[in-house]
Amino acid sequence: MLRIQFSLPLLVALLYVFAKNDAVTAPKKTAAVLGASGYTGAELMRLLSVHSGVDVKVITADRSAGKPFKAIYPQFSHVKNLPMLTKWEDSRADIETCDVVFCCLPHGTTQEIIGELAKSCPAKIIDLSADFRLKDVEVYAQWYGKPHAAVDLQPEAVYGLTEVNREAIRSARLLANPGCYPTAAQLPLIPLLRKKQISSEDIIIDAKSGTSGAGRAPKEPFLFCEVADGIHAYGVASHRHSPEIEAGLSEAAGKETVVNFTPHLMPMSRGILETIYVKLSDGVTVEELKKALEEEYEHESFVHVLEGTSLPQTRHVRGSNHVYMNVVKDRLPGRAIIVSAIDNLVKGASGQAIQNMNLMLGFEETTGLTQSPQFP
């Protein structure tokens, strides 16, 4: 009998080649993007166009149905074989054969559509609206001004703050992708509240955002002359991201937590910068806060605590899925200032949606998201 002996290095090399070939030849997963004509939909299309494991099979946009995607976003003129835009109800049969469905629809409309899809569609569903972010349907009705239209589905929805809720995300069928402001606020605050290093009282979040966060539909407050050369607060004491932020922080603190959150509109297209003022717990130092965040995110691919006294800037995360943060000592005794920056369309929306999709479909978590920030 002929015996062939393989050395260990040769066996490892052969296994690598076989695994690589399997990855190349494995059929790609298919995706549908509902509401592809908005900014989050376009950002999903940009990121999915370089994802090695997913093909976009269906894209919908009711007002642009029948048009090629490049007709509304010319920057996709070089991308071949994109499907035509359709109405979602006309493509329902195709949507139901996809492995994942991204919903980039306006708040208040997604619940009914997902309610319909969930009855017959086996796909993973990732909702980028706020329709499934709040566990309490009464709180949803209070803040969004209408009853929840999919009450039976709400308990199934998993909140998709990836670095905080990774294991639950892996097995989710319906995922509520976090809002942009809550992402930038919760990532630095949740670890510190869990460790009881800061007080859950007297948290102040001063947030600045680019205009893309308001969506693509033309609205007077977001016209060029209304936004350029100035800055203004909006949604003061009434912004709908407040209960979402508070829900995550309350869970981390183990008790109800109410924050003072005020967003401001900046004359820029994308980016979020949040300056967060916190009260230290007795005996805790600013250095210990920073060390806690460094240890929490040491092995994370997208969350970074900056060295020394460097402060995050929106331009340094633009176009990427990265989060930059740092902590500095306040002049007021017993207080600290946290600064965090994200791209509202990427980590604050479409990038985090793909990060979650990767977990839900069994891909490496960073697939399609390793682009460096765009500066200048």
Side-chain angles (χ1 to χ4, degrees):
M1 180 182 295
L2 180 63
R3 293 185 178 181
I4 301 175
Q5 293 185 336
F6 293 99
S7 66
L8 182 59
L10 180 58
L11 283 171
V12 171
L14 288 171
L15 288 172
Y16 172 79
V17 170
F18 292 147
K20 186 175 180 181
N21 287 338
D22 285 345
V24 171
T25 57
K28 288 187 174 184
K29 302 292 186 179
T30 55
V33 179
L34 311 188
S37 60
Y39 289 142
T40 56
E43 196 72 355
L44 268 172
M45 295 294 289
R46 179 178 76 88
L47 296 170
L48 288 171
S49 70
V50 296
H51 196 290
S52 60
V54 176
D55 280 334
V56 178
K57 182 177 180 179
V58 180
I59 50 177
T60 76
D62 282 1
R63 289 195 299 268
S64 298
K67 296 180 181 179
F69 195 61
K70 64 183 179 182
I72 58 171
Y73 284 109
Q75 69 266 36
F76 289 88
S77 295
H78 69 288
V79 182
K80 307 300 181 185
N81 301 320
L82 286 179
M84 297 288 284
L85 289 159
T86 65
K87 294 185 177 182
W88 93 268
E89 57 267 27
D90 294 339
S91 296
R92 181 165 175 172
D94 290 330
I95 292 169
E96 292 180 354
T97 66
C98 290
D99 297 293
V100 62
V101 178
F102 294 96
C103 293
C104 307
L105 301 166
H107 307 315
T109 63
T110 307
Q111 290 165 356
E112 294 181 4
I113 290 176
I114 289 180
E116 287 295 313
L117 286 175
K119 295 175 183 178
S120 56
C121 180
K124 305 283 188 177
I125 300 173
I126 300 175
D127 178 27
L128 282 79
S129 81
D131 279 7
F132 290 93
R133 293 176 189 161
L134 301 177
K135 293 180 180 179
D136 189 328
V137 295
E138 297 301 324
V139 173
Y140 174 87
Q142 174 188 341
W143 283 86
Y144 286 87
K146 60 181 298 185
H148 199 290
V151 174
D152 293 343
L153 273 179
Q154 182 59 57
E156 185 180 342
V158 173
Y159 188 66
L161 191 61
T162 318
E163 287 77 13
V164 172
N165 213 15
R166 185 174 279 118
E167 292 311 309
I169 291 167
R170 293 185 195 278
S171 58
R173 180 178 76 129
L174 171 58
L175 185 126
N177 211 59
C180 49
Y181 287 127
T183 295
Q186 291 182 95
L187 284 173
L189 290 174
I190 283 176
L192 303 181
L193 286 169
R194 282 179 173 173
K195 295 176 182 292
K196 302 191 184 305
Q197 292 182 310
I198 61 173
S199 171
S200 62
E201 300 176 354
D202 199 19
I203 296 174
I204 302 170
I205 303 171
D206 182 313
K208 313 286 194 303
S209 175
T211 60
S212 58
R216 200 184 192 196
K219 308 179 188 76
E220 183 177 319
F222 307 109
L223 297 175
F224 178 81
C225 290
E226 306 292 331
V227 176
D229 303 320
I231 173 176
H232 64 270
Y234 71 101
V236 178
S238 62
H239 196 281
R240 290 170 170 176
H241 281 180
S242 298
E244 182 183 343
I245 294 171
E246 291 168 353
L249 300 189
S250 296
E251 184 174 345
K255 61 180 178 179
E256 184 179 5
T257 299
V258 179
V259 301
N260 188 326
F261 168 63
T262 305
H264 301 76
L265 194 65
M266 300 293 291
M268 59 186 189
S269 60
R270 60 166 79 202
I272 281 181
L273 184 78
E274 295 191 6
T275 307
I276 306 170
Y277 305 87
V278 298
K279 181 180 179 181
L280 300 173
S281 297
D282 291 342
V284 176
T285 66
V286 172
E287 290 75 18
E288 288 172 323
L289 295 192
K290 182 166 183 175
K291 183 179 180 182
L293 290 175
E294 288 173 337
E295 291 176 350
E296 179 76 19
Y297 295 118
E298 180 181 3
H299 301 295
E300 294 292 345
S301 299
F302 298 119
V303 184
H304 314 281
V305 182
L306 300 184
E307 296 179 358
T309 58
S310 296
L311 293 176
Q313 300 181 33
T314 57
R315 71 194 64 169
H316 295 157
V317 294
R318 180 183 175 92
S320 80
N321 201 52
H322 294 289
V323 184
Y324 285 0
M325 64 178 69
N326 209 343
V327 188
V328 297
K329 188 176 181 179
D330 200 335
R331 291 176 58 242
L332 299 177
R335 297 191 66 88
I337 302 171
I338 302 168
V339 182
S340 66
I342 65 170
D343 185 315
N344 60 295
L345 291 178
V346 190
K347 184 59 174 175
S350 305
Q352 187 156 223
I354 290 175
Q355 188 179 355
N356 288 324
M357 176 203 74
N358 286 338
L359 291 174
M360 295 164 76
L361 295 184
F363 294 117
E364 167 61 38
E365 187 176 321
T366 60
T367 305
L369 297 170
T370 56
Q371 303 91 333
S372 294
Q374 301 168 357
F375 177 78

